[in-house]
Amino acid sequence: MAKKSFGQHFLLDLNITRKIVRLGGPFDGDVVIEVGPGPGGLTRALLETEARKVIAVEMDSRFIDLLGELNGVYGDRFEVIEGDATKIDEARSLADRNLTEAAHIVSNLPYNVGTPLLIKWLTGPWLPLSMTLMFQLEVALRVVAPVGDNDYGRLSVISQVLCDCQKIMDLPARAFTPPPKVDSAVVHLKPKAERPEPRVIRNLEKVTAAAFGQRRKMLRASLKSLGGEALLEKAGITPSERAEQVSPQDFLRLAHLI
Ligand code: SAM
């Protein structure tokens, strides 16, 4: 039985899970961490690839034994960790297994923890090689929204400053068992080669929270406590603009200047 509080909507059609994995890959020779494998539909597709190892993190103990059956087929290329992905230290989990720090994340995310997990992986300290993530459509659209779009917001800025982001697949609610109330989409995020230092990433979180927290206000007002008009002028941004008119690159410039 699906547990509502764990956001359980399963993908049981191997054609769909294979397609997600094909579009999210290649994973050849790399480690993949899958969050929330449930009964293992996506896990099976991942194990069919040339990934070196698949580590699944699942919070619902009912799936742990079931997933253990995959060891019969794939041996120690597969391992399941029982735990809460929001609390796991990925770098430590990989080091404990004598694996390199580098790993991809693939997940049909439980909707209630989707955004916090994305922010955790985006802002570090541990950085995935890539992320292939199923979100409810509304969240997927926010991740990839261009400046000026209705969906453009804090998540768009942070995602697009730190990663190349693409919506790679749409999935109707009926593709899941049981079907959720909303449609879904898969987003692929690849961290950019040039990454701002941690201080700048923290400032980016701060400045976007202030700007989009009061998105109807002009920036000179919403960013007052961070430097207001003087800061905006230094960054070459018109103080009467509103958050949704400011590009990810301009937000990054602000984050450098704070
Ligand atoms: N990947 C499976 C699929 O596509 O069929 C299941 C996806 S279902 C939307 C989400 C899964 O994440 C469930 O199995 C649920 O128990 C698990 N889950 C929920 N919250 C979690 C968390 N914080 N950490 C790890 N797993 C979690």
Side-chain angles (χ1 to χ4, degrees):
M1 264 325 284
K3 264 197 197 176
K4 220 175 168 184
S5 61
F6 284 9
Q8 294 181 340
H9 300 282
F10 304 122
L11 279 172
L12 304 175
D13 181 343
L14 202 52
N15 290 318
I16 295 179
T17 55
R18 280 183 179 141
K19 188 169 173 194
I20 295 171
V21 165
R22 192 176 69 247
L23 295 173
F27 304 114
D28 301 6
D30 292 334
V31 176
V32 178
I33 298 178
E34 187 197 355
V35 168
L42 203 48
T43 323
R44 284 175 174 78
L46 284 168
L47 283 162
E48 286 175 0
T49 70
E50 297 296 312
R52 174 172 168 201
K53 181 164 179 137
V54 177
I55 301 175
V57 182
E58 174 57 63
M59 203 161 127
D60 186 342
S61 56
R62 297 173 308 164
F63 291 121
I64 304 299
D65 287 347
L66 189 74
L67 288 162
E69 287 173 13
L70 289 173
N71 293 113
V73 186
Y74 295 100
D76 59 12
R77 266 189 73 224
F78 176 68
E79 185 177 341
V80 58
I81 300 176
E82 185 174 351
D84 180 345
T86 61
K87 301 202 174 110
I88 273 198
D89 176 340
E90 291 86 356
R92 158 111 44 100
S93 302
L94 291 164
D96 286 350
R97 290 163 179 79
N98 293 323
L99 293 165
T100 84
E101 258 220 9
H104 302 268
I105 294 274
V106 176
S107 180
N108 170 12
L109 286 165
Y111 293 149
N112 54 338
V113 290
T115 310
L117 276 171
L118 174 58
I119 294 285
K120 173 187 171 192
W121 294 321
L122 281 171
T123 57
W126 178 77
L127 186 67
L129 289 171
S130 74
M131 293 170 258
T132 304
L133 308 173
M134 172 91 65
F135 290 108
Q136 58 196 100
L137 182 61
E138 181 205 319
V139 178
L141 291 174
R142 279 166 45 208
V143 172
V144 299
V147 58
D149 191 276
N150 277 345
D151 293 307
Y152 184 69
R154 189 168 183 237
L155 198 58
S156 330
V157 174
I158 298 178
S159 303
Q160 292 169 32
V161 163
L162 300 171
C163 292
D164 293 319
C165 312
Q166 246 187 309
K167 180 157 78 66
I168 56 173
M169 192 174 169
D170 286 293
L171 272 156
R174 69 183 136 73
F176 300 84
T177 311
K181 291 203 176 70
V182 292
D183 292 337
S184 296
V186 182
V187 175
H188 186 259
L189 300 102
K190 177 127 182 64
K192 294 190 173 166
E194 237 173 81
R195 189 168 169 80
E197 54 190 279
R199 175 191 71 86
V200 176
I201 296 178
R202 278 196 304 278
N203 284 347
L204 184 67
E205 292 187 87
K206 247 194 248 171
V207 72
T208 50
F212 287 101
Q214 299 179 291
R215 59 192 297 154
R216 278 167 214 283
K217 286 201 177 162
M218 292 181 195
L219 293 170
R220 71 155 68 88
S222 59
L223 300 187
K224 198 163 185 177
S225 66
L226 295 172
E229 205 146 340
L231 169 75
L232 288 157
E233 267 159 19
K234 222 194 289 170
I237 299 169
T238 314
S240 59
E241 286 197 341
R242 292 179 170 78
E244 72 256 20
Q245 298 168 284
V246 179
S247 70
Q249 293 69 27
D250 280 350
F251 271 113
L252 179 59
R253 207 164 41 247
L254 285 169
H256 274 284
L257 291 170
I258 289 172

